[in-house]
Amino acid sequence: MSNQFMFADEPQQAQPALLKDKWKVLIVDDEPEVHAVTKLALSDFEFLGRGLEFHSAFSGEEARQLVDQHPDAAILLLDVVMESDDAGLKVARYIREDADNHYTRIILRTGQPGQAPERTVIVNYDINDYKSKTELTAQKLFTAVMSSLRSYRDIMSVDQSRQGLEKIIEASANLYTLQPMQQFVDGIVQQLSWVIGGARQTLYATATDDGRAYRVVAANGEDSQVAMGQTLRSVLPAPALAELDSVIQNNSHHYGGDFVLMYCRSHCRPQGSVLFIGGMSRALTDDDHHVLKLFAENVQKAQDNVVCIEDTDVLMAGIADQLVHLQASHFASEDVAGSEAIAYRLGKELFDESTAIDVSCAITLYARAKPLLACIEPNAAAHETSCQQRIAISLRGLKNGQQQATQFAYTALMERLERWDGLGLPEGKKGNSIAESTQVILVSEQIADWRTQGLAESDMITRLQDERGRYYSPDFLDKVIKHIGVAIAS
């Protein structure tokens, strides 16, 4: 072992309190002295406010176990010759191929360069640096580690941004599905955390309906799972909490020593949202301020759009409820015709009078959605088509309806292509999982269509028998066939 590692101690620098975590460095060498000297040489090392955390292994087998235990290691200082002449090279191959770890930077250190020529190793193994122990002074080790950490930081930043962008793209494609903002904002928050540069925690909180609190809907970094769903006041550190009221009241922002609080103003609600970024390892630049401003403006616009869609859903449910309520209030059996009359008559035999009226009113609402239903291809595929997704989004407001007839109509619209045998769309529901009210609505429409075609009652029964065990429950069809004469009576 070279004594060039032994160097004079430098003054100990105070460890900044910005970040509690450290960069993980794995040391793999069969000489205990190498571990000790490496830790000594890098004892005061610091990058982006973070020191180093060392983990040691003394053989190739121990190294593989160590790599599996610490997949988030930034650097591996790897000896070549240990229990065998190529033990270190086998470890390098294990990391890249078996462990599928392409992030950890591998610095190969060898005391016998002739046994592992640099050109051969660089070409055949996915390593990032090659050093001879005899030339690796404390300064050169410092330089190698610093360079590798910068590369690791950049690689992880790109990867985190990729993950964030994937979430944003996925959420953008389904922006108006249920609970759209959680996934959408989560992706942006994750990316923002890394664009700003190694923040320990990022939180995005929106105002509750009563405006009395702000609840975390997206979080990234330290304690992110704990923070989700909590009020912002309960998870903010004391320095940020002291500035929260001022930021909200003034619709402004505050840059603290290692944190940012930024108000995101809403254009459709009295209260907006609050962005918190804490534990930053560096001072923010003008470009960072610009990125944060764009985030505050554009993310809130996206959320405002979703809020408007949700408000439209509430309005749609209210209109639908009012429609079926008025129809039920003035319902007269002698005044209804077609599928509405058939549904009412079958409903009286299968349910009670009130439910029969609701099923008849539901058909009226159901029929108004037929232009949307026309885009669905009636095949037995086991996946949801884009048109079905469109319908699910367009009719989402009906799901919030308070009237039973509204719920009957919504359920029938969503289950229109389901089959009793489980081969339908979009969920492949089977058997009794399909609502009986849906079956009444669908079979009433079918019988009404057959009446228009002039089919005799016996022919209708034959066709219904053909659907036994396919589209309809056998028990349900027995009940329909038993009462079909009443259902189609003029």
mmCIF file of all heavy atoms in Angstrom, residues 312-360:
data_model
loop_
_atom_site.group_PDB
_atom_site.id
_atom_site.type_symbol
_atom_site.label_atom_id
_atom_site.label_comp_id
_atom_site.label_asym_id
_atom_site.label_seq_id
_atom_site.Cartn_x
_atom_site.Cartn_y
_atom_site.Cartn_z
ATOM 1 N N THR A 312 -68.778 21.715 -13.538
ATOM 2 C CA THR A 312 -69.704 21.329 -14.605
ATOM 3 C C THR A 312 -70.357 19.985 -14.295
ATOM 4 O O THR A 312 -71.542 19.773 -14.575
ATOM 5 C CB THR A 312 -68.966 21.261 -15.952
ATOM 6 O OG1 THR A 312 -68.360 22.521 -16.224
ATOM 7 C CG2 THR A 312 -69.912 20.904 -17.082
ATOM 8 N N ASP A 313 -69.559 19.072 -13.730
ATOM 9 C CA ASP A 313 -70.111 17.767 -13.338
ATOM 10 C C ASP A 313 -71.235 17.935 -12.318
ATOM 11 O O ASP A 313 -72.275 17.269 -12.398
ATOM 12 C CB ASP A 313 -69.007 16.883 -12.742
ATOM 13 C CG ASP A 313 -68.009 16.409 -13.781
ATOM 14 O OD1 ASP A 313 -68.323 16.500 -14.982
ATOM 15 O OD2 ASP A 313 -66.920 15.953 -13.389
ATOM 16 N N VAL A 314 -71.020 18.801 -11.349
ATOM 17 C CA VAL A 314 -72.042 19.042 -10.320
ATOM 18 C C VAL A 314 -73.301 19.622 -10.962
ATOM 19 O O VAL A 314 -74.436 19.215 -10.638
ATOM 20 C CB VAL A 314 -71.498 19.995 -9.240
ATOM 21 C CG1 VAL A 314 -72.606 20.384 -8.265
ATOM 22 C CG2 VAL A 314 -70.343 19.333 -8.485
ATOM 23 N N LEU A 315 -73.114 20.564 -11.881
ATOM 24 C CA LEU A 315 -74.259 21.161 -12.570
ATOM 25 C C LEU A 315 -75.014 20.127 -13.383
ATOM 26 O O LEU A 315 -76.251 20.073 -13.371
ATOM 27 C CB LEU A 315 -73.779 22.303 -13.473
ATOM 28 C CG LEU A 315 -74.854 22.989 -14.333
ATOM 29 C CD1 LEU A 315 -75.909 23.650 -13.452
ATOM 30 C CD2 LEU A 315 -74.200 24.005 -15.267
ATOM 31 N N MET A 316 -74.272 19.276 -14.089
ATOM 32 C CA MET A 316 -74.897 18.244 -14.916
ATOM 33 C C MET A 316 -75.706 17.284 -14.051
ATOM 34 O O MET A 316 -76.838 16.904 -14.411
ATOM 35 C CB MET A 316 -73.823 17.471 -15.683
ATOM 36 C CG MET A 316 -74.358 16.384 -16.579
ATOM 37 S SD MET A 316 -73.045 15.532 -17.474
ATOM 38 C CE MET A 316 -74.004 14.325 -18.399
ATOM 39 N N ALA A 317 -75.161 16.873 -12.918
ATOM 40 C CA ALA A 317 -75.883 15.973 -12.020
ATOM 41 C C ALA A 317 -77.164 16.633 -11.520
ATOM 42 O O ALA A 317 -78.220 15.983 -11.430
ATOM 43 C CB ALA A 317 -74.988 15.570 -10.857
ATOM 44 N N GLY A 318 -77.073 17.916 -11.192
ATOM 45 C CA GLY A 318 -78.248 18.625 -10.702
ATOM 46 C C GLY A 318 -79.344 18.722 -11.750
ATOM 47 O O GLY A 318 -80.538 18.545 -11.455
ATOM 48 N N ILE A 319 -78.954 19.005 -13.007
ATOM 49 C CA ILE A 319 -79.939 19.099 -14.084
ATOM 50 C C ILE A 319 -80.598 17.743 -14.325
ATOM 51 O O ILE A 319 -81.823 17.644 -14.520
ATOM 52 C CB ILE A 319 -79.271 19.627 -15.364
ATOM 53 C CG1 ILE A 319 -78.826 21.086 -15.170
ATOM 54 C CG2 ILE A 319 -80.205 19.496 -16.555
ATOM 55 C CD1 ILE A 319 -78.028 21.637 -16.324
ATOM 56 N N ALA A 320 -79.772 16.681 -14.336
ATOM 57 C CA ALA A 320 -80.307 15.339 -14.556
ATOM 58 C C ALA A 320 -81.279 14.959 -13.445
ATOM 59 O O ALA A 320 -82.351 14.389 -13.705
ATOM 60 C CB ALA A 320 -79.162 14.330 -14.640
ATOM 61 N N ASP A 321 -80.900 15.257 -12.202
ATOM 62 C CA ASP A 321 -81.793 14.958 -11.074
ATOM 63 C C ASP A 321 -83.119 15.695 -11.213
ATOM 64 O O ASP A 321 -84.198 15.145 -10.955
ATOM 65 C CB ASP A 321 -81.116 15.350 -9.756
ATOM 66 C CG ASP A 321 -80.127 14.299 -9.264
ATOM 67 O OD1 ASP A 321 -80.175 13.165 -9.774
ATOM 68 O OD2 ASP A 321 -79.326 14.625 -8.368
ATOM 69 N N GLN A 322 -83.039 16.962 -11.602
ATOM 70 C CA GLN A 322 -84.261 17.756 -11.748
ATOM 71 C C GLN A 322 -85.145 17.194 -12.858
ATOM 72 O O GLN A 322 -86.375 17.127 -12.730
ATOM 73 C CB GLN A 322 -83.899 19.212 -12.049
ATOM 74 C CG GLN A 322 -85.090 20.152 -12.080
ATOM 75 C CD GLN A 322 -85.707 20.370 -10.708
ATOM 76 O OE1 GLN A 322 -85.114 20.010 -9.693
ATOM 77 N NE2 GLN A 322 -86.906 20.939 -10.674
ATOM 78 N N LEU A 323 -84.511 16.758 -13.938
ATOM 79 C CA LEU A 323 -85.262 16.202 -15.064
ATOM 80 C C LEU A 323 -86.042 14.960 -14.648
ATOM 81 O O LEU A 323 -87.254 14.858 -14.889
ATOM 82 C CB LEU A 323 -84.293 15.871 -16.207
ATOM 83 C CG LEU A 323 -84.899 15.101 -17.394
ATOM 84 C CD1 LEU A 323 -85.896 15.972 -18.139
ATOM 85 C CD2 LEU A 323 -83.786 14.637 -18.340
ATOM 86 N N VAL A 324 -85.353 14.002 -14.027
ATOM 87 C CA VAL A 324 -86.041 12.750 -13.668
ATOM 88 C C VAL A 324 -87.029 12.974 -12.524
ATOM 89 O O VAL A 324 -88.058 12.283 -12.444
ATOM 90 C CB VAL A 324 -85.018 11.647 -13.313
ATOM 91 C CG1 VAL A 324 -84.159 11.301 -14.526
ATOM 92 C CG2 VAL A 324 -84.135 12.046 -12.130
ATOM 93 N N HIS A 325 -86.722 13.939 -11.650
ATOM 94 C CA HIS A 325 -87.648 14.222 -10.556
ATOM 95 C C HIS A 325 -88.962 14.781 -11.096
ATOM 96 O O HIS A 325 -90.058 14.359 -10.671
ATOM 97 C CB HIS A 325 -87.016 15.218 -9.584
ATOM 98 C CG HIS A 325 -87.948 15.659 -8.488
ATOM 99 N ND1 HIS A 325 -88.347 14.821 -7.470
ATOM 100 C CD2 HIS A 325 -88.581 16.849 -8.268
ATOM 101 C CE1 HIS A 325 -89.173 15.461 -6.664
ATOM 102 N NE2 HIS A 325 -89.335 16.699 -7.119
ATOM 103 N N LEU A 326 -88.894 15.721 -12.027
ATOM 104 C CA LEU A 326 -90.100 16.283 -12.621
ATOM 105 C C LEU A 326 -90.875 15.222 -13.391
ATOM 106 O O LEU A 326 -92.120 15.172 -13.339
ATOM 107 C CB LEU A 326 -89.728 17.444 -13.552
ATOM 108 C CG LEU A 326 -89.224 18.719 -12.875
ATOM 109 C CD1 LEU A 326 -88.744 19.724 -13.917
ATOM 110 C CD2 LEU A 326 -90.319 19.341 -12.003
ATOM 111 N N GLN A 327 -90.135 14.372 -14.105
ATOM 112 C CA GLN A 327 -90.801 13.320 -14.867
ATOM 113 C C GLN A 327 -91.511 12.337 -13.940
ATOM 114 O O GLN A 327 -92.648 11.931 -14.197
ATOM 115 C CB GLN A 327 -89.776 12.582 -15.736
ATOM 116 C CG GLN A 327 -90.402 11.562 -16.672
ATOM 117 C CD GLN A 327 -89.366 10.911 -17.579
ATOM 118 O OE1 GLN A 327 -88.200 11.281 -17.560
ATOM 119 N NE2 GLN A 327 -89.802 9.947 -18.379
ATOM 120 N N ALA A 328 -90.853 11.960 -12.835
ATOM 121 C CA ALA A 328 -91.465 11.019 -11.893
ATOM 122 C C ALA A 328 -92.667 11.649 -11.197
ATOM 123 O O ALA A 328 -93.671 10.974 -10.918
ATOM 124 C CB ALA A 328 -90.420 10.564 -10.875
ATOM 125 N N SER A 329 -92.562 12.959 -10.918
ATOM 126 C CA SER A 329 -93.652 13.645 -10.218
ATOM 127 C C SER A 329 -94.929 13.698 -11.058
ATOM 128 O O SER A 329 -96.028 13.742 -10.522
ATOM 129 C CB SER A 329 -93.218 15.070 -9.841
ATOM 130 O OG SER A 329 -92.100 15.038 -8.981
ATOM 131 N N HIS A 330 -94.770 13.720 -12.388
ATOM 132 C CA HIS A 330 -95.928 13.811 -13.287
ATOM 133 C C HIS A 330 -96.129 12.508 -14.070
ATOM 134 O O HIS A 330 -96.747 12.505 -15.134
ATOM 135 C CB HIS A 330 -95.742 14.987 -14.261
ATOM 136 C CG HIS A 330 -95.652 16.320 -13.590
ATOM 137 N ND1 HIS A 330 -94.472 16.827 -13.084
ATOM 138 C CD2 HIS A 330 -96.609 17.257 -13.318
ATOM 139 C CE1 HIS A 330 -94.697 18.015 -12.535
ATOM 140 N NE2 HIS A 330 -95.995 18.299 -12.677
ATOM 141 N N PHE A 331 -95.595 11.435 -13.516
ATOM 142 C CA PHE A 331 -95.658 10.164 -14.242
ATOM 143 C C PHE A 331 -97.090 9.630 -14.275
ATOM 144 O O PHE A 331 -97.799 9.591 -13.262
ATOM 145 C CB PHE A 331 -94.744 9.131 -13.572
ATOM 146 C CG PHE A 331 -94.655 7.818 -14.316
ATOM 147 C CD1 PHE A 331 -93.745 7.669 -15.334
ATOM 148 C CD2 PHE A 331 -95.506 6.761 -14.013
ATOM 149 C CE1 PHE A 331 -93.654 6.467 -16.039
ATOM 150 C CE2 PHE A 331 -95.422 5.556 -14.708
ATOM 151 C CZ PHE A 331 -94.497 5.418 -15.717
ATOM 152 N N ALA A 332 -97.496 9.187 -15.454
ATOM 153 C CA ALA A 332 -98.795 8.520 -15.627
ATOM 154 C C ALA A 332 -98.569 7.359 -16.586
ATOM 155 O O ALA A 332 -98.092 7.561 -17.716
ATOM 156 C CB ALA A 332 -99.837 9.480 -16.181
ATOM 157 N N SER A 333 -98.884 6.165 -16.155
ATOM 158 C CA SER A 333 -98.575 4.975 -16.939
ATOM 159 C C SER A 333 -99.226 4.991 -18.310
ATOM 160 O O SER A 333 -98.665 4.475 -19.292
ATOM 161 C CB SER A 333 -99.009 3.725 -16.178
ATOM 162 O OG SER A 333 -100.411 3.766 -15.893
ATOM 163 N N GLU A 334 -100.404 5.611 -18.406
ATOM 164 C CA GLU A 334 -101.101 5.631 -19.694
ATOM 165 C C GLU A 334 -100.474 6.612 -20.686
ATOM 166 O O GLU A 334 -100.785 6.566 -21.888
ATOM 167 C CB GLU A 334 -102.579 5.987 -19.494
ATOM 168 C CG GLU A 334 -102.839 7.364 -18.908
ATOM 169 C CD GLU A 334 -102.833 7.384 -17.393
ATOM 170 O OE1 GLU A 334 -102.398 6.368 -16.781
ATOM 171 O OE2 GLU A 334 -103.247 8.396 -16.806
ATOM 172 N N ASP A 335 -99.610 7.480 -20.185
ATOM 173 C CA ASP A 335 -99.003 8.484 -21.065
ATOM 174 C C ASP A 335 -97.648 8.050 -21.625
ATOM 175 O O ASP A 335 -97.126 8.710 -22.539
ATOM 176 C CB ASP A 335 -98.822 9.808 -20.319
ATOM 177 C CG ASP A 335 -100.163 10.451 -19.971
ATOM 178 O OD1 ASP A 335 -101.150 10.151 -20.674
ATOM 179 O OD2 ASP A 335 -100.203 11.227 -18.991
ATOM 180 N N VAL A 336 -97.049 7.012 -21.068
ATOM 181 C CA VAL A 336 -95.731 6.576 -21.544
ATOM 182 C C VAL A 336 -95.890 5.548 -22.638
ATOM 183 O O VAL A 336 -96.893 4.821 -22.703
ATOM 184 C CB VAL A 336 -94.875 6.012 -20.393
ATOM 185 C CG1 VAL A 336 -94.524 7.095 -19.411
ATOM 186 C CG2 VAL A 336 -95.587 4.857 -19.713
ATOM 187 N N ALA A 337 -94.895 5.492 -23.520
ATOM 188 C CA ALA A 337 -94.947 4.548 -24.640
ATOM 189 C C ALA A 337 -93.551 4.014 -24.923
ATOM 190 O O ALA A 337 -92.558 4.451 -24.323
ATOM 191 C CB ALA A 337 -95.526 5.236 -25.875
ATOM 192 N N GLY A 338 -93.470 3.076 -25.845
ATOM 193 C CA GLY A 338 -92.182 2.543 -26.266
ATOM 194 C C GLY A 338 -91.425 1.871 -25.142
ATOM 195 O O GLY A 338 -91.985 1.189 -24.285
ATOM 196 N N SER A 339 -90.108 2.090 -25.134
ATOM 197 C CA SER A 339 -89.252 1.429 -24.136
ATOM 198 C C SER A 339 -89.569 1.890 -22.725
ATOM 199 O O SER A 339 -89.432 1.116 -21.771
ATOM 200 C CB SER A 339 -87.781 1.695 -24.460
ATOM 201 O OG SER A 339 -87.501 3.087 -24.478
ATOM 202 N N GLU A 340 -90.020 3.151 -22.566
ATOM 203 C CA GLU A 340 -90.362 3.641 -21.235
ATOM 204 C C GLU A 340 -91.545 2.853 -20.657
ATOM 205 O O GLU A 340 -91.545 2.483 -19.484
ATOM 206 C CB GLU A 340 -90.720 5.130 -21.278
ATOM 207 C CG GLU A 340 -89.540 6.057 -21.516
ATOM 208 C CD GLU A 340 -89.304 6.314 -22.992
ATOM 209 O OE1 GLU A 340 -89.862 5.561 -23.822
ATOM 210 O OE2 GLU A 340 -88.571 7.262 -23.316
ATOM 211 N N ALA A 341 -92.547 2.580 -21.498
ATOM 212 C CA ALA A 341 -93.706 1.818 -21.032
ATOM 213 C C ALA A 341 -93.328 0.380 -20.718
ATOM 214 O O ALA A 341 -93.770 -0.191 -19.708
ATOM 215 C CB ALA A 341 -94.810 1.856 -22.097
ATOM 216 N N ILE A 342 -92.487 -0.229 -21.583
ATOM 217 C CA ILE A 342 -92.063 -1.615 -21.353
ATOM 218 C C ILE A 342 -91.254 -1.713 -20.069
ATOM 219 O O ILE A 342 -91.437 -2.641 -19.263
ATOM 220 C CB ILE A 342 -91.249 -2.125 -22.559
ATOM 221 C CG1 ILE A 342 -92.145 -2.206 -23.797
ATOM 222 C CG2 ILE A 342 -90.621 -3.480 -22.263
ATOM 223 C CD1 ILE A 342 -91.401 -2.516 -25.072
ATOM 224 N N ALA A 343 -90.352 -0.747 -19.847
ATOM 225 C CA ALA A 343 -89.538 -0.759 -18.629
ATOM 226 C C ALA A 343 -90.414 -0.613 -17.390
ATOM 227 O O ALA A 343 -90.176 -1.270 -16.358
ATOM 228 C CB ALA A 343 -88.503 0.360 -18.678
ATOM 229 N N TYR A 344 -91.438 0.241 -17.479
ATOM 230 C CA TYR A 344 -92.336 0.429 -16.341
ATOM 231 C C TYR A 344 -93.095 -0.857 -16.027
ATOM 232 O O TYR A 344 -93.202 -1.277 -14.875
ATOM 233 C CB TYR A 344 -93.313 1.566 -16.630
ATOM 234 C CG TYR A 344 -94.433 1.667 -15.623
ATOM 235 C CD1 TYR A 344 -94.193 2.097 -14.321
ATOM 236 C CD2 TYR A 344 -95.739 1.306 -15.971
ATOM 237 C CE1 TYR A 344 -95.232 2.175 -13.390
ATOM 238 C CE2 TYR A 344 -96.772 1.390 -15.050
ATOM 239 C CZ TYR A 344 -96.512 1.815 -13.754
ATOM 240 O OH TYR A 344 -97.523 1.877 -12.836
ATOM 241 N N ARG A 345 -93.631 -1.511 -17.063
ATOM 242 C CA ARG A 345 -94.414 -2.726 -16.844
ATOM 243 C C ARG A 345 -93.555 -3.869 -16.332
ATOM 244 O O ARG A 345 -93.966 -4.612 -15.428
ATOM 245 C CB ARG A 345 -95.118 -3.115 -18.145
ATOM 246 C CG ARG A 345 -96.182 -2.118 -18.574
ATOM 247 C CD ARG A 345 -96.604 -2.343 -20.002
ATOM 248 N NE ARG A 345 -97.509 -1.278 -20.469
ATOM 249 C CZ ARG A 345 -97.758 -1.029 -21.748
ATOM 250 N NH1 ARG A 345 -97.182 -1.776 -22.698
ATOM 251 N NH2 ARG A 345 -98.567 -0.050 -22.077
ATOM 252 N N LEU A 346 -92.359 -4.034 -16.900
ATOM 253 C CA LEU A 346 -91.455 -5.061 -16.371
ATOM 254 C C LEU A 346 -91.018 -4.715 -14.955
ATOM 255 O O LEU A 346 -90.910 -5.591 -14.094
ATOM 256 C CB LEU A 346 -90.215 -5.187 -17.274
ATOM 257 C CG LEU A 346 -90.393 -5.914 -18.604
ATOM 258 C CD1 LEU A 346 -89.087 -5.899 -19.393
ATOM 259 C CD2 LEU A 346 -90.850 -7.352 -18.385
ATOM 260 N N GLY A 347 -90.769 -3.428 -14.720
ATOM 261 C CA GLY A 347 -90.351 -2.994 -13.393
ATOM 262 C C GLY A 347 -91.390 -3.277 -12.337
ATOM 263 O O GLY A 347 -91.058 -3.633 -11.194
ATOM 264 N N LYS A 348 -92.671 -3.134 -12.695
ATOM 265 C CA LYS A 348 -93.737 -3.429 -11.731
ATOM 266 C C LYS A 348 -93.740 -4.902 -11.342
ATOM 267 O O LYS A 348 -94.073 -5.257 -10.204
ATOM 268 C CB LYS A 348 -95.099 -3.057 -12.336
ATOM 269 C CG LYS A 348 -95.432 -1.570 -12.261
ATOM 270 C CD LYS A 348 -96.841 -1.308 -12.733
ATOM 271 C CE LYS A 348 -97.852 -1.939 -11.775
ATOM 272 N NZ LYS A 348 -99.250 -1.631 -12.181
ATOM 273 N N GLU A 349 -93.400 -5.782 -12.304
ATOM 274 C CA GLU A 349 -93.374 -7.218 -12.020
ATOM 275 C C GLU A 349 -92.129 -7.627 -11.244
ATOM 276 O O GLU A 349 -92.154 -8.589 -10.470
ATOM 277 C CB GLU A 349 -93.437 -8.008 -13.335
ATOM 278 C CG GLU A 349 -94.658 -7.712 -14.191
ATOM 279 C CD GLU A 349 -95.961 -8.078 -13.501
ATOM 280 O OE1 GLU A 349 -95.924 -8.986 -12.635
ATOM 281 O OE2 GLU A 349 -97.006 -7.468 -13.814
ATOM 282 N N LEU A 350 -91.012 -6.898 -11.449
ATOM 283 C CA LEU A 350 -89.740 -7.269 -10.827
ATOM 284 C C LEU A 350 -89.428 -6.469 -9.561
ATOM 285 O O LEU A 350 -88.734 -6.962 -8.672
ATOM 286 C CB LEU A 350 -88.594 -7.074 -11.831
ATOM 287 C CG LEU A 350 -88.700 -7.865 -13.142
ATOM 288 C CD1 LEU A 350 -87.533 -7.524 -14.051
ATOM 289 C CD2 LEU A 350 -88.736 -9.361 -12.873
ATOM 290 N N PHE A 351 -89.907 -5.236 -9.503
ATOM 291 C CA PHE A 351 -89.614 -4.360 -8.372
ATOM 292 C C PHE A 351 -90.930 -3.872 -7.766
ATOM 293 O O PHE A 351 -91.973 -4.502 -7.936
ATOM 294 C CB PHE A 351 -88.770 -3.164 -8.818
ATOM 295 C CG PHE A 351 -87.585 -3.520 -9.678
ATOM 296 C CD1 PHE A 351 -87.470 -3.013 -10.963
ATOM 297 C CD2 PHE A 351 -86.595 -4.378 -9.211
ATOM 298 C CE1 PHE A 351 -86.382 -3.344 -11.762
ATOM 299 C CE2 PHE A 351 -85.497 -4.710 -9.993
ATOM 300 C CZ PHE A 351 -85.395 -4.207 -11.273
ATOM 301 N N ASP A 352 -90.855 -2.723 -7.094
ATOM 302 C CA ASP A 352 -92.080 -2.083 -6.598
ATOM 303 C C ASP A 352 -92.472 -0.938 -7.531
ATOM 304 O O ASP A 352 -91.764 -0.622 -8.484
ATOM 305 C CB ASP A 352 -91.863 -1.567 -5.166
ATOM 306 C CG ASP A 352 -90.643 -0.661 -5.043
ATOM 307 O OD1 ASP A 352 -90.516 0.278 -5.868
ATOM 308 O OD2 ASP A 352 -89.807 -0.894 -4.156
ATOM 309 N N GLU A 353 -93.625 -0.307 -7.261
ATOM 310 C CA GLU A 353 -94.146 0.744 -8.126
ATOM 311 C C GLU A 353 -93.167 1.905 -8.268
ATOM 312 O O GLU A 353 -92.912 2.398 -9.377
ATOM 313 C CB GLU A 353 -95.476 1.263 -7.563
ATOM 314 C CG GLU A 353 -96.060 2.485 -8.262
ATOM 315 C CD GLU A 353 -96.665 2.162 -9.617
ATOM 316 O OE1 GLU A 353 -96.881 0.962 -9.894
ATOM 317 O OE2 GLU A 353 -96.908 3.097 -10.402
ATOM 318 N N SER A 354 -92.588 2.358 -7.140
ATOM 319 C CA SER A 354 -91.672 3.502 -7.172
ATOM 320 C C SER A 354 -90.436 3.197 -8.004
ATOM 321 O O SER A 354 -90.003 4.028 -8.818
ATOM 322 C CB SER A 354 -91.263 3.885 -5.745
ATOM 323 O OG SER A 354 -90.294 4.910 -5.755
ATOM 324 N N THR A 355 -89.879 2.007 -7.833
ATOM 325 C CA THR A 355 -88.691 1.637 -8.599
ATOM 326 C C THR A 355 -89.013 1.481 -10.072
ATOM 327 O O THR A 355 -88.208 1.834 -10.943
ATOM 328 C CB THR A 355 -88.081 0.330 -8.054
ATOM 329 O OG1 THR A 355 -87.800 0.481 -6.663
ATOM 330 C CG2 THR A 355 -86.799 -0.034 -8.789
ATOM 331 N N ALA A 356 -90.208 0.977 -10.366
ATOM 332 C CA ALA A 356 -90.618 0.831 -11.758
ATOM 333 C C ALA A 356 -90.678 2.193 -12.443
ATOM 334 O O ALA A 356 -90.259 2.349 -13.599
ATOM 335 C CB ALA A 356 -91.973 0.136 -11.831
ATOM 336 N N ILE A 357 -91.191 3.195 -11.745
ATOM 337 C CA ILE A 357 -91.237 4.551 -12.310
ATOM 338 C C ILE A 357 -89.821 5.080 -12.523
ATOM 339 O O ILE A 357 -89.524 5.696 -13.558
ATOM 340 C CB ILE A 357 -92.042 5.480 -11.376
ATOM 341 C CG1 ILE A 357 -93.515 5.063 -11.342
ATOM 342 C CG2 ILE A 357 -91.907 6.935 -11.813
ATOM 343 C CD1 ILE A 357 -94.357 5.841 -10.348
ATOM 344 N N ASP A 358 -88.944 4.827 -11.561
ATOM 345 C CA ASP A 358 -87.561 5.304 -11.692
ATOM 346 C C ASP A 358 -86.860 4.660 -12.882
ATOM 347 O O ASP A 358 -86.090 5.315 -13.602
ATOM 348 C CB ASP A 358 -86.780 5.015 -10.409
ATOM 349 C CG ASP A 358 -87.090 6.002 -9.295
ATOM 350 O OD1 ASP A 358 -87.602 7.102 -9.621
ATOM 351 O OD2 ASP A 358 -86.842 5.681 -8.120
ATOM 352 N N VAL A 359 -87.102 3.356 -13.112
ATOM 353 C CA VAL A 359 -86.488 2.685 -14.256
ATOM 354 C C VAL A 359 -87.009 3.286 -15.558
ATOM 355 O O VAL A 359 -86.241 3.512 -16.510
ATOM 356 C CB VAL A 359 -86.764 1.173 -14.210
ATOM 357 C CG1 VAL A 359 -86.290 0.507 -15.509
ATOM 358 C CG2 VAL A 359 -86.062 0.532 -13.026
ATOM 359 N N SER A 360 -88.310 3.567 -15.611
ATOM 360 C CA SER A 360 -88.886 4.176 -16.817
ATOM 361 C C SER A 360 -88.294 5.569 -17.063
ATOM 362 O O SER A 360 -87.937 5.912 -18.194
ATOM 363 C CB SER A 360 -90.408 4.261 -16.658
ATOM 364 O OG SER A 360 -90.996 4.861 -17.796
#
